[in-house]
Amino acid sequence: MRTTKFILILICVLWCSYLFAQEINDQLLQFNQRNIDHQKTAMIALGGWAVANIGVGLGFSQSTTGETKYFHQMNALWNTVNLAIAGIGYWSISGADAAGWDLATGLSKHQNFQKILLFNAGLDIGYILGGIYLQERARRPDVNSDRLRGFGKAIVLQGGFLFAFDLINYFIANGKGADLDLRLGAVSNGIGLVWNF
């Protein structure tokens, strides 16, 4: 009789452990898939911004003159780089398999994405300052003032957009990490089994 009770208790514990582990795996898969989807969406948004700026920039740089022409030229040139980054970023994440990432890999990729966004936000501040510098430099004699002002204003615009883009995506990603932290806390405070002989 004792053996039967023991076996039933063991089966119940193992079954509950299996269900608990399955729930954790499902939550991890959802976490990984949300991160992949977020990165894809971010790259699509960056690519859309780039395509719009390239189209408008090429169109208006042909039909305008002076500072405005240079503003649109720089927007078009700047966004060829953005389009390349968006394309490479989308291509690299589109091959990712959320089910193939264990907890350590999923967290590592999530944190790396956040670090890249913060690093880029720092670069964006540098771009804005560089654009302001070009506008200030346009005041000097013997320089092409229209070009420097136009390029400077375009770089400030692009740096400002990228700064907002990177911070918004960082905070979105940071919120997703908080969900996983709560689940990990629940796991670490789970049920234990002690067997004394």
Side-chain angles (χ1 to χ4, degrees), residues 17-71:
S17 298
Y18 169 76
L19 292 176
F20 185 68
Q22 188 62 36
E23 181 184 345
I24 291 171
N25 286 339
D26 291 345
Q27 290 174 352
L28 179 61
L29 178 63
Q30 290 171 3
F31 172 77
N32 290 340
Q33 190 60 53
R34 279 197 313 265
N35 284 329
I36 290 170
D37 293 344
H38 174 219
Q39 290 182 38
K40 284 182 180 179
T41 302
M43 293 302 101
I44 289 170
L46 181 61
W49 171 262
V51 168
N53 274 271
I54 291 169
V56 170
L58 290 176
F60 281 108
S61 68
Q62 300 301 318
S63 62
T64 57
T65 60
E67 179 183 323
T68 306
K69 174 182 180 163
Y70 292 114
F71 173 79

Side-chain angles (χ1 to χ4, degrees), residues 31-193:
F31 172 77
N32 290 340
Q33 190 60 53
R34 279 197 313 265
N35 284 329
I36 290 170
D37 293 344
H38 174 219
Q39 290 182 38
K40 284 182 180 179
T41 302
M43 293 302 101
I44 289 170
L46 181 61
W49 171 262
V51 168
N53 274 271
I54 291 169
V56 170
L58 290 176
F60 281 108
S61 68
Q62 300 301 318
S63 62
T64 57
T65 60
E67 179 183 323
T68 306
K69 174 182 180 163
Y70 292 114
F71 173 79
H72 290 296
Q73 278 182 354
M74 179 53 74
N75 282 334
L77 288 170
W78 188 277
N79 280 283
T80 57
V81 175
N82 282 347
L83 186 59
I85 290 169
I88 291 168
Y90 188 87
W91 176 76
S92 68
I93 197 66
S94 65
D97 178 22
W101 294 354
D102 61 4
L103 179 61
T105 303
L107 281 174
S108 174
K109 290 187 179 290
H110 176 70
Q111 290 171 345
N112 285 341
F113 182 60
Q114 288 178 302
K115 288 176 187 176
I116 289 169
L117 290 170
L118 286 179
F119 178 77
N120 285 346
L123 289 177
D124 300 336
I125 292 170
Y127 301 149
I128 293 168
L129 293 174
I132 292 169
Y133 169 76
L134 288 178
Q135 292 177 64
E136 182 61 33
R137 186 165 171 84
R139 296 179 186 202
R140 295 184 181 176
D142 300 328
V143 295
N144 187 340
S145 297
D146 286 343
R147 182 171 58 188
L148 290 175
R149 273 194 305 274
F151 282 3
K153 287 179 180 179
I155 292 170
V156 168
L157 171 70
Q158 297 302 323
F161 166 79
L162 291 173
F163 183 72
F165 173 84
D166 290 331
L167 284 184
I168 288 168
N169 281 293
Y170 170 79
F171 287 117
I172 290 170
N174 195 39
K176 291 179 180 174
D179 293 343
L180 186 65
D181 291 342
L182 291 175
R183 282 187 232 120
L184 289 174
V187 171
S188 65
N189 295 325
I191 299 171
L193 177 66

Side-chain angles (χ1 to χ4, degrees), residues 1-15 195:
M1 188 66 145
R2 281 184 97 148
T3 309
T4 306
K5 283 184 181 179
F6 174 74
I7 291 173
L8 286 174
I9 291 172
L10 184 61
I11 289 171
C12 286
V13 167
L14 292 175
W15 180 252
W195 188 342

